[in-house]
Amino acid sequence: MINFNKNSLNQRLHTIFSYALDKAVFPGAAVGISLWNGNQYQRKIDHYGLARMYPQNRKLTPATAFDLASLTKPLATVPALLSLMAKGQLNWEMNLSQIFPGEIGEDKADITIKQLMTHGAGLPSHKDYFKKLITFRDNKKKALFSWIIQEKLQYQPGRDCLYSDLGFLLLGYIIEKISGKNLAEYITEEIYRPINLQDSLFYIDHEPQDQMYAATEICPWTGQILSGRVHDDNCRALGGVAGHAGLFGTIEGVLQWCEYLLSQLKERCTHPAFTNELLKKAVNKEPNSAWTPGFDTPSPSGSSSGRFLSPSAFGHLGFTGTSFWIDPQKELIIILLTNRVHPSRHNELIRQFRPLFHDTILQTLYGSK
C-alpha cells in the first residue's frame, strides 16, 4: 500500500506553487488529490493565491467555484448521454439522421453518437459563432444548430480524429432533443442531484454572486471581467449552457465526482442514472486514437499529465486552466483548477507547469516508478 505522506507532499507542492505564483503562471489554483487505501479515499485539498486580481485582489478559498471549461464534456455531457443510453433512448451507433430526421445533409447523416463522443465525426475543431450569435435576440440555439450542420467536414467520419467543440455542441442538442428538457436541468436532476453534487457542480442560470468565483478574462463585447460568467465565447453567447462548456465547480465538487466515477469502475457503487458497464465503455480508449468516448488519455511523450500515470488513466483539460486525471490502476485522482486566463488567455505558462505538477505528485507517492 502506498504511504500517503501528506507532510512530504505538502512541502513539495508548496515549493512548486510558490514558484508558479511568483512566475505568474496563474493568479490562483486549487488542488485535489485522492488515493484509495483499500477502505476509503485518502484526500488532500489545497488552495493557493488569488481568485481575482482586478479591480482588486481577492483570495481564493476552498469554496471558490471555477469555470471548468471543457471539463464540461466528460463531467456533464458524457454522463447525461450514458443516462439516456441506460433508458434505452439512445445508443452508441445511433446517427444524426435518426435523431434529427429530415434536417441533416447526406454528408453528416451517418455520423454516430460514438463518433461525436470520440472526436471522430469530421467536424471542425472550433468556430467563432459568437460573433454572429450576439446579434440574435431569439432562436439562438436554432441558428447555431443550423450553422454546425452546414459546416464542411474536415475528413470522412470515422477515418480520423480531430478534437471538436462542435461535436459536443451537437451532443448537447441531442440530449435536449431526446430528453425534452433544458440541458442544465437534465444534468442537474439526473446526474448531480441523486448524489448530492448539485451545489458544487452546476451551470449558472441566475445572476451570479461575484465573490464566489475565480475570475477569468475580460469579455470582448462588454469590457467587464468575467466572474461567474462563462469564459467560452460561444457558450456565453448561447446563455451559458452548452454541451462543450458552461459547467462551474468547486475543488470539492470535482474531486467528489471523480471519486464516484472511480468507485463505479471498481464496482464499489453504481449511479442511479447509468450502469457501471456503460461507464467502462466510455473510458475505454478507441483503437488508433488518443480518445475514449469523451475522455482524453495520456500521450506517450510530452503529456500534460506527466510521465508516470498508468496507460489506463483518463481525464481532460479545460482552456481556463483546469484538468482532472483518474488512474484506475493506481486508484489515484489528481485535480488542478486554476484561473490561468485571468486577466488574459495569452498566458500559456501552464503548459510547462502541468507535467511538473503531476510528476511531483507521482514521484512523491511512488518514487520514480
Side-chain angles (χ1 to χ4, degrees):
M1 185 182 298
I2 298 301
N3 180 21
F4 198 70
N5 187 330
K6 289 189 179 181
N7 288 333
S8 176
L9 205 50
N10 281 340
Q11 185 177 8
R12 295 192 184 191
L13 289 177
H14 177 77
T15 299
I16 65 169
F17 277 95
S18 295
Y19 174 83
L21 293 174
D22 182 59
K23 297 297 182 183
V25 176
F26 37 68
V31 175
I33 305 166
S34 190
L35 179 66
W36 182 257
N37 69 3
N39 295 301
Q40 62 183 3
Y41 285 107
Q42 300 177 86
R43 284 171 140 215
K44 176 175 175 52
I45 292 179
D46 282 321
H47 58 282
Y48 307 88
L50 301 174
R52 71 180 297 162
M53 300 165 63
Y54 303 103
Q56 68 282 324
N57 286 354
R58 181 181 298 142
K59 286 187 177 180
L60 195 150
T61 75
T64 301
F66 288 80
D67 182 335
L68 299 178
S70 283
L71 302 199
T72 304
K73 296 178 176 79
L75 298 183
T77 304
V78 168
L81 292 164
L82 299 183
S83 74
L84 292 171
M85 292 181 190
K87 294 176 181 178
Q89 297 178 285
L90 197 64
N91 64 63
W92 301 102
E93 300 306 322
M94 191 175 287
N95 64 41
L96 290 181
S97 63
Q98 291 173 294
I99 299 167
F100 303 104
E103 299 181 63
I104 307 297
E106 187 177 340
D107 61 330
K108 301 181 185 70
D110 294 329
I111 290 175
T112 66
I113 294 295
K114 192 173 187 180
Q115 287 171 343
L116 291 168
M117 293 176 74
T118 55
H119 302 283
L123 290 164
S125 178
H126 174 81
K127 292 285 182 175
D128 285 339
Y129 294 126
F130 71 93
K131 293 178 179 178
K132 290 190 291 183
L133 209 57
I134 59 175
T135 66
F136 283 59
R137 290 180 62 90
D138 303 307
N139 298 321
K140 290 186 175 187
K141 286 184 179 181
K142 185 176 180 181
L144 184 54
F145 176 79
S146 69
W147 297 336
I148 294 173
I149 62 173
Q150 289 167 23
E151 288 287 353
K152 182 179 179 180
L153 292 178
Q154 305 295 293
Y155 56 87
Q156 186 176 340
R159 291 287 180 88
D160 204 345
C161 178
L162 176 65
Y163 180 79
S164 176
D165 278 353
L166 275 61
F168 269 79
L169 274 161
L170 275 184
L171 288 168
Y173 284 111
I174 289 167
I175 293 165
E176 292 191 332
K177 173 74 180 293
I178 293 178
S179 71
K181 295 181 179 179
N182 169 274
L183 183 65
E185 178 189 353
Y186 184 81
I187 290 169
T188 299
E189 296 306 317
E190 295 289 327
I191 307 302
Y192 298 144
R193 193 176 298 281
I195 55 173
N196 201 31
L197 285 180
Q198 72 276 6
D199 295 327
S200 54
L201 288 172
F202 51 88
Y203 290 90
I204 297 175
D205 56 1
H206 56 276
E207 189 65 28
Q209 295 179 340
D210 177 63
Q211 68 272 17
M212 294 173 55
Y213 300 96
T216 57
E217 215 170 1
I218 296 170
C219 176
W221 60 81
T222 68
Q224 301 295 309
I225 288 282
L226 295 168
S227 182
R229 299 289 188 194
V230 177
H231 178 262
D232 182 272
D233 296 303
N234 288 335
C235 182
R236 191 165 72 260
L238 270 177
V241 178
H244 73 297
L247 190 68
F248 284 77
T250 63
I251 188 66
E252 175 78 23
V254 178
L255 191 60
Q256 279 190 33
W257 189 208
C258 289
E259 287 175 344
Y260 202 98
L261 294 174
L262 178 55
S263 287
Q264 281 191 262
L265 294 175
K266 295 297 182 177
E267 301 290 348
R268 293 191 286 265
C269 68
T270 191
H271 194 285
F274 57 89
T275 66
N276 297 357
E277 287 305 312
L278 280 168
L279 179 61
K280 289 175 184 178
K281 289 181 181 178
V283 303
N284 188 33
K285 189 161 80 166
E286 288 294 289
N288 304 314
S289 174
W291 290 91
T292 81
F295 296 84
D296 198 1
T297 62
S299 304
S301 63
S303 176
S304 67
S305 64
R307 296 171 289 163
F308 304 120
L309 287 180
S310 306
S312 61
F314 58 93
H316 214 286
L317 305 184
F319 186 81
T320 50
T322 58
S323 66
F324 75 92
W325 287 96
I326 300 173
D327 189 328
Q329 184 176 324
K330 292 180 166 67
E331 300 213 52
L332 174 68
I333 296 161
I334 303 175
I335 317 291
L336 176 64
L337 306 181
T338 82
N339 52 350
R340 70 98 191 165
V341 294
H342 179 60
S344 169
R345 72 181 64 195
H346 299 296
N347 175 9
E348 296 186 346
L349 296 174
I350 198 169
R351 290 178 182 267
Q352 290 76 44
F353 181 80
R354 275 176 168 144
L356 170 66
F357 165 71
H358 293 99
D359 282 353
T360 297
I361 293 169
L362 270 293
Q363 287 176 307
T364 304
L365 294 179
Y366 301 91
S368 59
K369 292 186 249 183

